[in-house]
């Protein structure tokens, strides 16, 4: 199934069940795609997570009901998944900028977040350097934590900052950022800041080892300052929104996603150097 068709099915399912309990697993199932691929691809393509989309749509519809009906605020709150007036008011205020009571009194305007629609857009016209490699099993060693897909973009940078400030970066070279979701059907995944395991070295306290199985990997090269366009962030988006959807020969078969980082001391400007090299491995 085409990626655009999968996203369209997911959106239609969300909109049809917006007042019911929605889980990533159920949405992905109806989109005929793994939860792992769906969550990654949705956020890359849309610029926000599935959970954020659902929340904004529910608050939009709740605002419309406050304006167009005389239903009690608590009933509207319960209809859209809030178990108390307080939690509903806080979420409503963050999204609309005003309270439900102000809307009901016609004292303010509400915001509208329209449902997503798939449109044909001409994209591409650029090159992506990649290679397909059959790689033997290998072991990494590092620090591990569990993250939710909904908050990972904000929490993982904090994890790296903590790692560097704690001095643990002096115990191993932070060569890899490894995301692991073996089942590919949940809301959480394990993330490691890691290096290649050396059996001759003692494993530091609080560090873990992990065996990455043998797989066929697609390896994408990135050249440029770490966060510049064309480097890692841009490559990630192109992989999930363009390369995989149009490449019928390959699909994500396992919940491993790896970033490989060169040693920053090898570059005059470190990770901000225009020649800094990194890789995305799927």
């Amino acid at each position: 199934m085409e990626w655009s068709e999968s996203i369209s099915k997911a959106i239609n399912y969300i909109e049809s069940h917006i007042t019911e309990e929605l889980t990533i697993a159920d949405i992905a199932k109806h989109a005929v795609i793994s939860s792992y691929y769906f969550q990654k691809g949705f956020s890359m393509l849309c610029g926000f997570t599935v959970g954020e989309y659902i929340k904004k749509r529910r608050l939009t519809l709740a605002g419309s009901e406050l304006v167009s009906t005389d239903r009690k605020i608590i009933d509207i709150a319960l209809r859209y998944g809030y178990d108390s007036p307080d939690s509903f008011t806080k979420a409503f205020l963050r999204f609309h900028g005003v309270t439900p009571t102000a809307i009901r009194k016609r004292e303010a305007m509400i915001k509208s977040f329209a449902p997503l629609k798939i449109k044909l857009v001409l994209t591409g016209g650029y090159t992506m350097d990649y290679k397909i490699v059959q790689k033997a099993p290998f072991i990494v060693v590092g620090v591990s934590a569990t993250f939710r897909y909904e908050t990972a973009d904000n929490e993982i940078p904090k994890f790296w900052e903590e790692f560097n400030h704690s001095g643990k970066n002096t115990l191993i070279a932070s060569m890899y950022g490894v995301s692991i979701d073996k089942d590919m059907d949940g809301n959480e995944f394990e993330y490691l800041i890691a290096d290649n395991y050396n059996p001759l070295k003692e494993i530091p306290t609080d560090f873990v080892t992990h065996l990455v199985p043998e797989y066929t990997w697609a390896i994408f090269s990135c050249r440029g300052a770490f966060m510049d366009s064309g480097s890692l962030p841009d490559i990630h988006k192109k992989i999930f929104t363009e390369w995989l959807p149009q490449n019928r020969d390959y699909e994500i078969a396992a919940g491993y996603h790896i970033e490989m980082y060169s040693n920053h001391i090898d570059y005059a400007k470190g990770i901000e150097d225009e020649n800094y090299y990194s890789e995305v491995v799927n």
Side-chain angles (χ1 to χ4, degrees), residues 36 40 138 140-141 143 156 159-160 173-180 189-195 212 217 226 232 236 256-262 279-282:
Y36 173 84
K40 284 263 185 188
F138 64 101
V140 296
V141 58
V143 292
I156 288 180
F159 185 50
W160 273 93
S174 48
M175 182 177 183
Y176 302 116
V178 185
S179 299
I180 307 168
F189 64 97
E190 182 182 7
Y191 183 85
L192 281 79
I193 300 174
D195 192 11
V212 180
W217 302 90
F226 194 66
L232 283 181
H236 278 299
Y256 281 89
H257 174 81
I258 302 173
E259 292 180 354
M260 189 285 294
Y261 317 111
S262 297
E279 291 179 345
V280 176
V281 184
N282 281 303

Side-chain angles (χ1 to χ4, degrees), residues 36-37 40 44 128 130-133 135 177 179 215-220 235-240 243-244 250-260 279-282:
Y36 173 84
Y37 187 13
K40 284 263 185 188
M44 290 289 181
M128 291 182 71
Y130 74 94
K131 58 184 177 181
I132 303 297
V133 177
K135 190 173 179 62
S179 299
Y215 285 119
T216 299
W217 302 90
I219 301 176
F220 299 82
I235 292 297
H236 278 299
K237 183 173 183 179
K238 289 175 180 176
I239 289 172
F240 278 92
W243 186 83
L244 269 172
Y250 301 101
E251 63 180 15
I252 294 179
Y256 281 89
H257 174 81
I258 302 173
E259 292 180 354
M260 189 285 294
E279 291 179 345
V280 176
V281 184
N282 281 303

Side-chain angles (χ1 to χ4, degrees), residues 18-181:
I18 195 69
T19 59
E20 303 169 21
E21 182 180 358
L22 288 167
T23 67
I24 296 298
D26 284 341
I27 299 170
K29 179 181 178 181
H30 282 81
V32 195
I33 194 171
S34 74
S35 296
Y36 173 84
Y37 187 13
F38 172 62
Q39 291 183 101
K40 284 263 185 188
F42 189 97
S43 60
M44 290 289 181
L45 180 66
C46 303
F48 41 79
T49 67
V50 183
E52 289 171 334
Y53 176 75
I54 293 171
K55 181 182 294 184
K56 289 179 180 180
R57 286 294 298 139
R58 283 175 171 168
L59 289 169
T60 292
L61 294 172
S64 296
E65 285 201 24
L66 281 169
V67 171
S68 61
T69 74
D70 58 0
R71 294 186 66 185
K72 293 181 179 179
I73 292 178
I74 182 58
D75 291 337
I76 294 175
L78 293 171
R79 174 175 169 79
Y80 290 103
Y82 294 90
D83 56 8
S84 71
D86 185 55
S87 62
F88 177 62
T89 297
K90 288 180 179 178
F92 196 93
L93 182 59
R94 282 195 296 268
F95 179 70
H96 289 284
V98 293
T99 65
T101 302
I103 296 297
R104 176 54 57 83
K105 293 179 178 179
R106 304 292 196 273
E107 294 176 351
M109 300 177 69
I110 59 173
K111 294 181 180 178
S112 176
F113 183 80
L116 291 169
K117 295 184 182 296
I118 301 297
K119 299 177 68 175
L120 179 62
V121 179
L122 185 63
T123 61
Y126 53 81
T127 60
M128 291 182 71
D129 294 330
Y130 74 94
K131 58 184 177 181
I132 303 297
V133 177
Q134 182 73 27
K135 190 173 179 62
F138 64 101
I139 301 174
V140 296
V141 58
V143 292
S144 170
T146 299
F147 296 93
R148 294 182 60 83
Y149 283 103
E150 292 296 314
T151 56
D153 286 348
N154 292 324
E155 296 302 321
I156 288 180
K158 296 178 184 177
F159 185 50
W160 273 93
E161 184 177 355
E162 179 184 334
F163 171 79
N164 291 325
H165 286 173
S166 69
K168 292 179 179 178
N169 60 337
T170 64
L171 302 177
I172 64 166
S174 48
M175 182 177 183
Y176 302 116
V178 185
S179 299
I180 307 168
D181 185 352

